[in-house]
Amino acid sequence: MDIAAYKKMLDLLRHRGFLVPFGNDTSTLDGLIRECNGEYLIGSIQSLAHIPPESVDFCFSQTVLQHVTKSDFNKLAVELFRLLKPNAACHHRVDLKDMLGGGLNNLRFSEATWEGGLFSKSGFYTNRIRFSEMIRVFRQAGFRPTLLKVLRWEQLPLPRNKLDPRFRQLPDDDLLVSGFDILLKK
């Protein structure tokens, strides 16, 4: 909600020669949204249904996708693809570290426990969708993904025998990814 980050982005765009046709009412986030002819939607994936198909030039998220519930993740990918204009793109930074200590502690729990009401409605929920699975979901939705940056741990932050059996079988290449930046093109 801090307007300073948006002002920095507008200044950067102007500095790089982009035409930014607004800027009169940018003292508040509401003013900036009005200036952009934008909407601030807070109804989760359901709110995306109100956006017309092929009407979005660019979308981005900053460490958000890991918090989309596992049951909604595929739907989100399909909706984002539907919204984008041909040749449009999304940029996402995804943080695969848990919110219980910045490691893989969230992978200790069974699916039933983690996706059950106690954890899934907590303030520390992450969907536990691993790197390769997330890429696969984007491709299945129709995107052409390009990895821009992949962050990795040098070694697993948790012994493999401490992981739930579902995750123990994953290759190190997948479990060692702690985050990534991805460009998704339609």
Side-chain angles (χ1 to χ4, degrees), residues 152-153 156 160 168-177:
R152 298 179 189 277
W153 285 292
L156 288 177
R160 194 175 277 277
R168 271 185 221 151
Q169 63 189 346
L170 292 176
D172 282 355
D173 280 352
D174 211 0
L175 286 173
L176 287 171
V177 176

Side-chain angles (χ1 to χ4, degrees), residues 25-36:
D25 186 12
T26 58
S27 59
T28 66
L29 185 56
D30 287 338
L32 179 60
I33 291 170
R34 272 192 306 279
E35 286 277 326
C36 300

